[in-house]
Amino acid sequence: MQHFLITRLASAAIVVFGVTSLVFFMIHLIPGDPVEVMLGESARVADRENLRHALGLDRPVLVQWLDYLYHIARLDFGVSLHSKESITSILLMHIPATIELTLIALLFAIVISLPLGILAALNKNSGWDRAAMTVSLLGVSIPNFLMGPLLILLFSMYLGWLPVSGRDAPESVILPALTLGTAMAAILSRMVRATLLEVINEDYIRTARAKGLSRFRVILLHALPNTLLPVITLLGLQLGALLAGAVITEVVFSWPGIGQLTIDAIHKRDYPLVQSCILLISLTYVLVNIATDILYCVADPRIRLGQES
Amino acid sequence: MKAKTHKSLRILAHWPIAIIICWCLFALLGPLLPLQPNEIDLTRILLPPGEASVLGYDDLGRPIFDRVILGAKTSFLVSLWVVIVSLLIGVTLGIVSAYYGGWFDHVVVQIIDIFLAFPGILLAIALAGIMGPGIENVVIALSTVGWVGYARLTRAQVLSVKQREHIQAAVALGSQSTSIFYKHILPLILAPIIVEASFGIAGIVIAEAGLSFLGLGVQPPEASWGNMIRDGARYLLVAPHMVLVPGIVLMLVVLAVNLAGDRLRDYFDVRLRSSV
């Protein structure tokens, strides 16, 4: 276990270092002079030089890079070009909205996918199965930026049940979370169906049936817990898609989270803020993945032993 | 009579292929058609589908049918280029790193891990946002994200193939590395890569539309299904067709490509091979 933890954390450290460096070098991808892009072509030379100096762009790249890593390590993201506020405080202001959105989307995804996957697996190759899998295929094929407007059209405009956008009322979160959750529910329900189909052919399921337990009890208490382990791993991996999807969903619904902040910063050419948002989302994803990996190993000793041998 | 209905049903089952062919044809032949996707006419603003135009008009009075065709060109070109560039980089790196191993392999695996640490199309959003809008930058941004999957898949495939006896024999007989790649390794690993690429295209179509939806993709006068949906979202209540038409077209193409990918996978029996 210790060996596994050390190697896993070491490779994670390299990934974190790589991601941070990649984000740093992004600003050097700006075509031409980044300062000119930020200020516009009509800016005065003195202003350009001031900004160049303020951003540290007049120093050698290597020095800039080490300086960037040093500041990130101390959680100091610098100052926004646009509002001149500390980026850390801007990020902290927008984080709760994104956490709320992704957690509720995750909840929706689980609530939709579990019954759909179980229904499909228990009635394999029946009309139910085909219907559930068609719904799931549609869910994968409808991107967030289409699902969002469709849900707004139905629930806000025709039915008038839910607000169109913003985060003013508690029920505002329902439509964005549903938009974000459906794509994930589509993938999850396929996974639930596939793993459940494998599990119900196991010997212990037949034993449970043979000793007279009801079908319902067998599925709920014997089959489902064994299905959940791979599903939970997939949840961890899918969180990345959820975070990236949150960017587009937040824009559709004007949801004041990190995603909306990222796109606003891109349009305002506030590159330090863009870098910090991308870094925050990616590092969150890396950390969640490590946590999922470790939890999985704690829960299933077979994986641990397999890795060590 | 019965046989006839059966036959037409069987043709109906090929609708994904039909949609993909239409997509390619409209994308390639669009410029030859008498279309006026950028003709602004204020007298027909937001007109719904009807006699005047099959699919209605948008907020500037431009015919939506013509703009959807123009959007097909954008998504087709972007998909084509991104798949080509990603395949070239990914497959080459995957083969070389798996075949030679050693420190180069370690470095490649590490780089793959770093790129995989960026969730979904987030890296593409960041790159397109920083490099600025335009179809070339969309291709660069999506390829930067796209090569990783092919590199990982190719590497895994080569690792399992290179132990086979015929490769060992070719090495022992003194064949050149390049000829071993092309004649002995590539044909064996091609099927899973083709399947992966076909699903990849569905992802690229969505990603391109997504970038354009965020205002980071193609710019006017070019059209993309993504920015058509964005423009339409503002007129959702008065003119839902502005979102529905490009949305349904996008969905059908993605669905068709996904289903075609499923069939390719069954045809090549890829899952069977990887599970054995």
Side-chain angles (χ1 to χ4, degrees):
Chain A
M1 186 67 194
Q2 219 170 10
H3 175 73
F4 167 76
L5 266 182
I6 291 170
T7 48
R8 190 67 191 84
L9 287 177
S11 76
I14 298 175
V15 168
V16 167
F17 169 77
V19 166
T20 315
S21 304
L22 204 61
V23 168
F24 163 77
F25 283 108
M26 266 180 199
I27 205 156
H28 295 277
L29 289 175
I30 300 175
D33 181 1
V35 172
E36 190 178 305
V37 175
M38 290 180 216
L39 288 179
E41 280 175 18
S42 55
R44 286 180 302 160
V45 177
D47 287 341
R48 280 188 207 173
E49 288 316 310
N50 279 341
L51 180 63
R52 199 184 308 277
H53 186 69
L55 289 175
L57 290 174
D58 49 355
R59 296 171 301 167
V61 175
L62 195 65
V63 176
Q64 290 180 42
W65 180 35
L66 293 176
D67 190 54
Y68 184 76
L69 292 175
Y70 172 72
H71 280 101
I72 294 299
R74 298 169 58 198
L75 294 182
D76 172 11
F77 291 97
V79 179
S80 154
L81 285 185
H82 196 256
S83 65
K84 311 282 184 252
E85 280 175 67
S86 135
I87 291 180
T88 313
S89 71
I90 300 179
L91 291 179
L92 284 176
M93 221 160 59
H94 288 81
I95 287 175
T98 299
I99 293 184
E100 184 191 342
L101 175 62
T102 35
L103 284 187
I104 296 183
L106 202 61
L107 194 72
F108 277 143
I110 295 172
V111 170
I112 297 172
S113 63
L114 272 185
L116 213 59
I118 295 174
L119 189 75
L122 295 187
N123 303 290
K124 195 186 166 199
N125 293 332
S126 72
W128 283 110
D129 185 17
R130 270 192 292 274
M133 287 307 106
T134 310
V135 169
S136 134
L137 189 64
L138 277 177
V140 183
S141 303
I142 302 181
N144 293 340
F145 52 87
L146 176 59
M147 184 62 95
L150 291 181
L151 291 178
I152 292 178
L153 196 61
L154 180 64
F155 289 103
S156 309
M157 296 187 162
Y158 290 151
L159 298 172
W161 290 351
L162 294 163
V164 174
S165 65
R167 194 195 175 210
D168 304 321
E171 67 266 26
S172 311
V173 75
I174 296 178
L175 283 189
L178 204 57
T179 305
L180 194 53
T182 40
M184 191 171 180
I187 301 171
L188 270 184
S189 54
R190 278 170 180 255
M191 181 81 177
V192 170
R193 174 182 180 273
T195 25
L196 193 57
L197 277 178
E198 264 172 44
V199 168
I200 49 181
N201 285 323
E202 297 276 344
D203 290 343
Y204 61 84
I205 298 294
R206 198 181 323 128
T207 311
R209 285 288 287 157
K211 73 178 187 185
L213 293 183
S214 71
R215 195 169 142 87
F216 181 74
R217 241 183 109 86
V218 171
I219 297 296
L220 203 69
L221 297 178
H222 295 249
L224 216 49
N226 287 298
T227 314
L228 288 184
L229 214 54
V231 172
I232 287 170
T233 322
L234 187 76
L235 272 181
L237 290 175
Q238 281 295 313
L239 190 89
L242 209 59
L243 285 170
V247 175
I248 290 177
T249 310
E250 286 179 8
V251 172
V252 173
F253 290 93
S254 309
W255 185 259
I258 297 289
Q260 172 88 48
L261 183 69
T262 313
I263 303 301
D264 278 350
I266 286 176
H267 287 306
K268 284 176 184 158
R269 294 178 174 167
D270 192 343
Y271 293 113
L273 187 53
V274 176
Q275 282 178 308
S276 308
C277 291
I278 302 293
L279 195 61
L280 177 71
I281 301 178
S282 315
L283 291 187
T284 311
Y285 178 49
V286 173
L287 292 180
V288 169
N289 266 341
I290 300 169
T292 318
D293 256 18
I294 293 175
L295 277 180
Y296 193 57
C297 280
V298 171
D300 190 346
R302 284 172 300 181
I303 308 287
R304 195 160 71 222
L305 293 173
Q307 292 235 351
E308 276 171 9
S309 58
Chain B
M1 193 62 197
K2 203 176 175 188
K4 221 174 188 178
T5 43
H6 266 249
K7 202 175 176 188
S8 61
L9 273 179
R10 231 179 297 148
I11 291 172
L12 266 184
H14 290 299
W15 69 267
I17 308 297
I19 287 193
I20 293 173
I21 292 175
C22 284
W23 180 43
C24 302
L25 281 182
F26 279 131
L28 296 174
L29 302 179
L32 302 176
L33 299 174
L35 301 173
Q36 291 157 326
N38 291 307
E39 183 154 289
I40 295 170
D41 184 345
L42 302 183
T43 60
R44 55 189 194 196
I45 284 177
L46 299 180
L47 276 182
E51 287 170 22
S53 167
V54 204
L55 298 177
Y57 293 94
D58 72 359
D59 54 327
L60 294 173
R62 295 172 295 189
I64 289 183
F65 178 81
D66 300 21
R67 294 192 66 71
V68 165
I69 304 278
L70 197 62
K73 189 184 94 184
T74 307
S75 70
F76 182 77
L77 284 183
V78 169
S79 309
L80 195 69
W81 277 111
V82 172
V83 164
I84 291 175
V85 175
S86 308
L87 275 176
L88 275 180
I89 301 175
V91 173
T92 313
L93 267 182
I95 289 184
V96 173
S97 97
Y99 190 75
Y100 288 115
W103 66 269
F104 184 76
D105 187 40
H106 278 293
V107 172
V108 170
V109 169
Q110 209 51 255
I111 293 177
I112 290 177
D113 277 349
I114 290 170
F115 273 85
L116 285 177
F118 287 94
I121 67 161
L122 186 74
L123 186 60
I125 290 177
L127 289 176
I130 284 177
M131 290 186 298
I135 196 163
E136 298 89 357
N137 288 345
V138 171
V139 171
I140 296 174
L142 293 179
S143 307
T144 311
V145 184
W147 69 272
V148 187
Y150 300 115
R152 199 169 59 152
L153 176 71
T154 310
R155 183 176 168 276
Q157 293 287 329
V158 173
L159 279 181
S160 74
V161 164
K162 83 170 186 182
Q163 300 303 333
R164 294 207 188 161
E165 280 160 358
H166 77 279
I167 307 279
Q168 308 280 331
V171 175
L173 286 171
S175 297
Q176 280 190 323
S177 299
T178 43
S179 114
I180 296 179
F181 288 155
Y182 287 113
K183 287 189 186 152
H184 302 293
I185 294 183
L186 204 56
L188 282 178
I189 63 171
L190 212 52
I193 293 175
I194 291 175
V195 172
E196 174 97 348
S198 67
F199 288 117
I201 290 174
I204 299 166
V205 172
I206 289 185
E208 180 274 317
L211 289 179
S212 297
F213 177 84
L214 294 172
L216 308 174
V218 297
Q219 298 294 300
E222 290 296 320
S224 156
W225 297 332
N227 61 27
M228 291 178 73
I229 293 175
R230 181 180 63 152
D231 293 343
R234 274 178 272 159
Y235 302 94
L236 211 46
L237 193 57
V238 279
H241 65 276
M242 273 185 71
V243 167
L244 292 178
V245 173
I248 290 171
V249 172
L250 171 74
M251 198 184 81
L252 283 178
V253 168
V254 172
L255 203 60
V257 174
N258 271 330
L259 287 171
D262 272 344
R263 285 201 193 160
L264 271 180
R265 189 177 55 196
D266 294 345
Y267 176 74
F268 286 128
D269 224 5
V270 167
R271 198 184 290 171
L272 213 72
R273 186 177 298 169
S274 64
S275 67
V276 167

